[in-house]
Amino acid sequence: MTQPTLATAKPAAEHGRQGLAALTLGAIGIVYGDIGTSPLYTVKEIFAPATGVPLDAAHLIGAISCIVWALMLIVTLKYVTLILRADNRGEGGGLALTALAAQAVASKPRWRTVLLLLGVFGATLFYGDSVITPAISVLGAMEGLTVATPALAPWVLPLSLLVLVGLFALQRFGTAVVGRLFGPVIVLWFLMLAVTGVQQIVQQPAILAALDPREAFAFLAGRGWQVWFAIGAIVLAITGAEALYADLGHFGRRAIQLAWTGLVLPALALNYLGQGALLMRDPSAIENPFYRLFPESMVLPAVGLATLAAIIASQAVISGAYSLTRQAIQLGFLPRMTVRHTSARESGQIYMPAANWALLAGVIGAVLYFGSSSALAGAYGIAVTGAMLITTLLTYVVVRHAWRLPAPVAIGATLSFVAIDLVLLAGCAVKFLDGGWFPLALGALIFAGMSTWHRGRALALASIRRDGLELSPFIASLAEPGLPRVARTAVYAVADPSTAPQALLHNLKHNQVLHERNVLLTVRFREQPAVAESERAQVEELGQGFWRVTLDFGFMETPDVPRALQRIAKQGLAFEPMTTSYYLSRETIVPTPGAGMARWRERLFAAMSRNAGSVVEFFRLPDNAVIELGTRVQI
């Protein structure tokens, strides 16, 4: 489930100011880096000894036909034609689709919860993909060195690690400069794929029989029970398909569709056909059919371009992990983390240190454990196909309950795609012991953390509501004269606007003073990408110098609280930054026996809460105007 990736392009709202050609070029560079590097290893893995597929003309034609028609049915028909239409106010991606599906069944709380958990599980599968994609792409590119000269084989692993560590280390500097090169480099990459493929097809035109879908059917039908091993390798050709939907908000549907049909699909098809033609003429090229497409003098330049393409594919996935993590935080499934903006102009260009170094640790572990692209191919696919199945199920909810398509149409289309997804998932499942367990185990660990945080926050809020003072009687009790007031504004951040803030109670208890104006502030994140400024704030005067303010943000927005408060003066509440103080409650979670969560989950939640990022930084509060007061919350 590849999420919104590198935002080197403008947001969807700004698409009208750019030419379609520029957007299409950006889409080629960012959206298609992952699927564009699949030719490095896919054909080699289909004919690996573990699949049992004979290396002869009939099976070559059948296997290449499977790849071509997988690109047509799954990428072109499912994603380019259908899924791209299911946007959440212009945004795409797994969590955006989850939010859209949850809104469609908002009147059914139980179904809404099920869909949210399903979408979150799909998001956790993406983290597994985020670890494997950089590892397999860079390893696959570097393995071309052994084609140039076998003496370089011992250097493949250390050079791959060096490239990966360098890539992750550079993240803190942002990606604007590198991003401008993405489009031209990947265009050159796809042109090279097409040209090298055509050169081989001309020499062995019999491979064009693979364009007949009957060849794919005959290949699959003739494999018997071993067909699952072949399918598990064929899936490698379509990894990265989710990126088409994930980057919808950055480039728009039209640009992504044009890039696919105008360049990416033809180039991929021609290269796979070319590799098949090469193997029909020279079966010994199976050691590395991609690099054997090139004359010996061009192998090293091809390795260089392939390495650049692999870095771009990895960069897109890394940036997607940042975006997914930020969305999960703002939808309430992860604790706050530090988010650094690396561009003054592009809000989507962010760097998250915690996510970055955790990903790097996972990638290094994968490279050292598996050691080669062939070994990693066993781990690749199961997370991707699981995410594809979840996307199909969520899309059904949208087309049936939001778009109101007739049930026969919605169910019929969904069942067709579910059948394909299940076949692909089953093909990858046979690789479970060969590495398929890796992304599933990683996803399960992350899902346990995300679900624990979501449930723990609900329990903490219930505890605050249960033990807190009801707000209305508390405000009424302050009408008695004699309580000193200072001519300043106090903003109290509260999760439950119906109870008196703990920070306010502590302030009264210890300082014996009340501010002239007291604002009870609640920040909410809606299940939509962005909120219009006209809908941002709701202001309610409560009397006795108290106001209740609610600020709404979308899950793709940066919650800049001071800036939002400055804009509500027209609603009768003006803020002067120099006389405004922000009071925060620093919660200490105390696990207790009872019916909340399992003991280990309560301890995990308490640890996550202790290590959560700063509220001050997350909400962009001024450092010199914040007072934090501690409070203990039992769950």
Side-chain angles (χ1 to χ4, degrees):
M1 180 181 283
T2 307
Q3 298 303 312
T5 61
L6 184 65
T8 52
K10 298 286 193 290
E14 300 181 29
H15 285 172
R17 299 179 223 163
Q18 301 184 60
L20 185 58
L23 284 173
T24 303
L25 179 64
I28 292 170
I30 295 172
V31 176
Y32 296 110
D34 189 355
I35 199 170
T37 54
S38 295
L40 285 168
Y41 42 77
T42 299
V43 175
K44 181 176 70 171
E45 296 308 318
I46 292 175
F47 292 95
T51 66
V53 180
L55 186 58
D56 56 39
H59 287 90
L60 278 165
I61 291 172
I64 300 302
S65 183
C66 287
I67 292 174
V68 171
W69 285 99
L71 293 172
M72 291 297 297
L73 289 175
I74 297 168
V75 183
T76 307
L77 182 59
K78 178 181 175 180
Y79 282 93
V80 174
T81 304
L82 176 62
I83 302 291
L84 285 183
R85 298 180 181 276
D87 66 287
N88 189 338
R89 303 196 182 193
E91 290 291 340
L95 287 180
L97 181 62
T98 300
L100 191 63
Q103 290 173 7
V105 293
S107 60
K108 303 174 181 177
R110 182 172 297 179
W111 277 107
R112 180 180 177 278
T113 300
V114 169
L115 291 175
L116 284 173
L117 291 175
L118 184 64
V120 168
F121 181 66
T124 64
L125 292 178
F126 170 73
Y127 285 109
D129 185 31
S130 300
V131 167
I132 297 173
T133 293
I136 194 172
S137 298
V138 173
L139 271 173
M142 286 297 177
E143 284 167 357
L145 293 172
T146 62
V147 177
T149 169
L152 293 175
W155 291 93
V156 169
L157 202 62
L159 285 175
S160 297
L161 289 172
L162 182 64
V163 169
L164 289 166
V165 170
L167 175 63
F168 279 89
L170 289 173
Q171 294 303 308
R172 61 195 181 96
F173 297 109
T175 52
V177 176
V178 180
R180 296 192 194 103
L181 302 176
F182 279 17
V185 170
I186 293 295
V187 167
L188 180 60
W189 170 257
F190 281 119
L191 290 176
M192 186 188 72
L193 293 183
V195 170
T196 53
V198 168
Q199 288 175 340
Q200 298 297 327
I201 295 169
V202 169
Q203 298 178 62
Q204 188 62 265
I207 192 63
L208 293 175
L211 297 176
D212 185 346
R214 292 175 297 182
E215 294 290 348
F217 180 79
F219 172 84
L220 296 174
R223 296 304 305 144
W225 66 270
Q226 289 183 309
V227 69
W228 303 112
F229 297 102
I231 290 173
I234 291 166
V235 163
L236 297 173
I238 58 171
T239 55
E242 289 267 327
L244 279 72
Y245 180 54
D247 285 290
L248 181 60
H250 294 153
F251 303 103
R253 184 170 69 240
R254 184 64 176 152
I256 294 174
Q257 290 173 333
L258 276 177
W260 174 254
T261 56
L263 176 63
V264 180
L265 174 60
L268 289 173
L270 287 171
N271 191 264
Y272 285 122
L273 289 165
Q275 290 189 48
L278 169 66
L279 291 171
M280 289 176 71
R281 289 192 305 105
D282 181 11
S284 68
I286 192 60
E287 61 174 335
N288 200 317
F290 177 79
Y291 283 111
R292 290 288 295 273
L293 291 172
F294 299 89
E296 190 173 330
S297 61
M298 292 299 296
V299 169
L300 286 179
V303 170
L305 185 57
T307 303
L308 285 176
I311 289 171
I312 291 170
S314 303
Q315 177 63 68
V317 172
I318 294 167
S319 299
Y322 298 160
S323 294
L324 173 63
T325 302
R326 182 170 71 167
Q327 291 177 34
I329 290 170
Q330 296 180 177
L331 288 172
F333 289 101
L334 282 175
R336 294 178 304 276
M337 298 181 195
T338 299
V339 179
R340 297 177 185 167
H341 292 262
T342 59
S343 171
R345 295 187 305 163
E346 308 293 351
S347 63
Q349 286 190 19
I350 59 174
Y351 168 63
M352 304 186 72
N356 185 69
W357 300 119
L359 270 180
L360 176 59
V363 171
I364 290 176
V367 170
L368 293 176
Y369 180 81
F370 291 99
S372 69
S373 63
S374 293
L376 269 166
Y380 212 18
I382 195 166
V384 175
T385 51
M388 287 179 175
L389 177 59
I390 290 172
T391 295
T392 300
L393 297 175
L394 293 174
T395 303
Y396 166 75
V397 176
V398 174
V399 300
R400 179 71 185 99
H401 296 281
W403 296 357
R404 303 292 183 184
L405 260 64
V409 175
I411 294 174
T414 301
L415 287 178
S416 300
F417 288 122
V418 164
I420 294 173
D421 291 338
L422 287 174
V423 168
L424 297 177
L425 184 59
C428 293
V430 300
K431 301 187 293 183
F432 181 81
L433 295 179
D434 294 328
W437 59 268
F438 180 78
L440 290 183
L442 188 60
L445 286 173
I446 297 172
F447 181 78
M450 294 174 77
S451 60
T452 296
W453 179 259
H454 189 69
R455 175 62 176 157
R457 287 306 303 165
L459 291 172
L461 184 59
S463 175
I464 292 171
R465 186 179 294 116
R466 181 179 62 250
D467 299 335
L469 292 177
E470 190 175 345
L471 183 62
S472 297
F474 171 74
I475 292 177
S477 69
L478 298 175
E480 300 178 7
L483 184 63
R485 293 210 180 216
V486 294
R488 291 181 60 87
T489 299
V491 177
Y492 295 93
V494 294
D496 180 10
S498 66
T499 58
Q502 290 294 316
L504 171 59
L505 298 177
H506 285 300
N507 189 38
L508 283 174
K509 177 181 178 181
H510 297 291
N511 298 324
Q512 299 289 308
V513 69
L514 193 64
H515 288 71
E516 197 171 85
R517 292 196 307 174
N518 300 273
V519 177
L520 310 183
L521 173 66
T522 301
V523 178
R524 302 183 303 191
F525 289 96
R526 293 190 192 176
E527 293 172 350
Q528 62 190 61
V531 174
E533 285 297 334
S534 59
E535 303 174 9
R536 176 82 65 206
Q538 296 87 50
V539 179
E540 179 185 358
E541 187 173 3
L542 303 175
Q544 303 299 326
F546 280 79
W547 300 71
R548 180 185 288 137
V549 175
T550 303
L551 297 178
D552 288 325
F553 294 92
F555 59 74
M556 292 290 289
E557 293 184 289
T558 298
D560 190 333
V561 167
R563 180 170 174 268
L565 291 177
Q566 287 291 314
R567 296 191 171 191
I568 64 174
K570 62 181 67 175
Q571 299 186 48
L573 184 59
F575 284 86
E576 171 53 51
M578 298 303 296
T579 60
T580 299
S581 299
Y582 296 86
Y583 285 82
L584 307 176
S585 293
R586 169 67 72 171
E587 298 170 355
T588 299
I589 302 299
V590 182
T592 58
M597 292 188 291
R599 187 72 171 172
W600 68 268
R601 293 185 74 194
E602 290 188 351
R603 290 176 176 172
L604 174 61
F605 175 67
M608 294 173 77
S609 182
R610 284 195 304 272
N611 291 282
S614 168
V615 177
V616 177
E617 187 175 338
F618 188 75
F619 289 117
R620 301 279 185 100
L621 303 180
D623 292 327
N624 59 355
V626 174
I627 300 95
E628 289 192 80
L629 299 171
T631 183
R632 294 170 65 85
V633 179
Q634 295 185 339
I635 59 171

